[in-house]
Amino acid sequence: MTATAGWPEAPEALPSPVVDNHCHLDHRAYSKGVEGGLLIPVDEALDRAAAVNVTRVVQVGCDLEGSRWAVDTAAAYPSVVAAVALHPNEAPALAAAGELDAALAEIDRLAASGDHVRAVGETGLDYFRTGADGREAQHASFREHVRIAKRHDKTLVIHDRDAHDDVLSILDDEGVPERTVMHCFSGDAELARQCVERGAYLSFAGTVTFKNAENLREALRVTPADRILVETDAPFLTPTPHRGRPNASFLIPLTVRFMAGIAGFSVDELCRTIDENTDRAFGGAWARRT
């Protein structure tokens, strides 16, 4: 398959299928030197991923428009399932406009719209981009997302940036849903242990390949095999050696091969483990793209 201008070449295909458990197919990617950014059409994105044995994806919403798009896309493509939510950075502005409750009610409706909606996320807390004045709204939004996930028996997908203690505190207070995924895990080995103790799956992105991310590699080493997931967070967090270029599901093999070496698995063993874990994490298998 030929490379689209501006995108890295596809890596060698994986020996067994895996799932990109967190991507944003609707997000306009960025690339230095490419005016206006890039966007891979859904069919092409899924075909390019399937060609390297990334045969299923979880499309994640971050606002109402994106969540509706995720639901519609999952309904149209059997190899895609949807996650719906308001990103924590959306909550303060919605609260200030008096629109947070109505937006959360719409997320609740979308979460109940069918089996192709498997998760509520990405929700959580983000103290990197939102200051102290926005934390109350983030906390309220996160709590309601936890309740929505539990109400509809959906997987909770958590965004946690610089807010580890408060994320765990709210989870403990609300009660951890049966299936919880720590999206783009960003902590150290101790946080990994605490999340696993609460029954969470830890999803590793291309960041685990970065030179300055030894904390993530230590976290991966202590994560039980049955709790490991992989994701792109595409178009962001592109793995080495393509850091700084746009990311897409077809680059997952780079991250998986790196993770296998750190975690002490063969590549095939880790692929099979991730695939099985994803089925459990998202409430059962769904169709593959072939």
Side-chain angles (χ1 to χ4, degrees):
M1 182 173 295
T2 60
T4 300
W7 293 89
E9 292 283 347
E12 180 185 353
L14 292 168
S16 296
V18 298
V19 186
D20 180 357
N21 88 90
H22 193 113
C23 68
H24 303 284
L25 294 168
D26 57 327
H27 199 294
R28 181 163 291 276
Y30 55 87
S31 179
K32 293 179 182 178
V34 179
E35 185 177 354
L38 301 168
L39 185 66
I40 299 181
V42 174
D43 278 303
E44 182 181 350
L46 298 178
D47 285 345
R48 288 169 69 84
V52 296
N53 236 346
V54 181
T55 58
R56 298 181 288 166
V57 303
V58 181
Q59 167 63 23
V60 179
C62 291
D63 54 21
L64 291 182
E65 180 182 2
S67 293
R68 294 184 186 112
W69 191 91
V71 172
D72 291 344
T73 301
Y77 293 90
S79 65
V80 178
V81 294
V84 298
L86 307 175
H87 190 283
N89 288 326
E90 295 289 314
L94 288 167
E99 298 172 355
L100 182 57
D101 288 345
L104 287 166
E106 175 67 358
I107 294 299
D108 184 62
R109 185 192 71 80
L110 291 169
S113 60
D115 187 57
H116 56 294
V117 182
R118 295 294 183 94
V120 172
E122 59 186 282
T123 181
L125 303 177
D126 188 320
Y127 293 170
F128 180 77
R129 289 194 173 89
T130 298
D133 59 340
R135 292 184 183 181
E136 182 179 356
Q138 284 199 359
H139 288 201
S141 178
F142 183 28
R143 287 181 181 276
E144 184 58 24
H145 280 86
V146 175
R147 295 166 189 165
I148 292 170
K150 294 168 74 173
R151 185 179 306 135
H152 300 295
D153 190 28
K154 304 295 182 180
T155 302
L156 182 71
V157 176
I158 296 177
H159 172 106
D160 167 19
R161 189 165 189 186
D162 297 347
H164 306 324
D165 290 344
D166 285 352
V167 164
L168 294 182
S169 178
I170 288 175
L171 279 177
D172 290 343
D173 191 39
E174 291 291 332
V176 184
E178 182 178 348
R179 299 179 305 280
T180 299
V181 173
M182 301 301 294
H183 146 60
C184 187
F185 182 79
S186 60
D188 56 13
E190 178 55 31
L191 182 65
R193 292 187 184 98
Q194 292 182 53
C195 292
V196 169
E197 286 173 1
R198 290 164 172 81
Y201 294 84
L202 307 189
S203 179
F204 293 88
T207 44
V208 75
T209 72
F210 295 176
K211 288 183 178 180
N212 63 347
E214 185 58 30
N215 64 310
L216 299 182
R217 292 185 280 277
E218 289 297 327
L220 176 58
R221 291 185 183 104
V222 304
T223 302
D226 65 353
R227 293 287 148 177
I228 297 172
L229 301 178
V230 71
E231 66 173 87
T232 56
D233 198 24
F236 310 108
L237 307 182
T238 311
T240 303
H242 301 301
R243 186 176 180 181
R245 300 180 72 183
N247 200 6
S249 297
F250 72 84
L251 296 176
I252 279 269
L254 297 171
T255 305
V256 171
R257 287 193 166 89
F258 184 91
M259 289 171 62
I262 297 298
F265 294 100
S266 72
V267 174
D268 187 58
E269 287 172 335
L270 185 57
C271 288
R272 294 177 185 276
T273 295
I274 288 171
D275 204 57
E276 293 168 2
N277 292 348
T278 308
D279 287 348
R280 291 195 304 274
F282 287 92
W286 66 96
R288 301 187 188 279
R289 182 87 165 188
T290 57

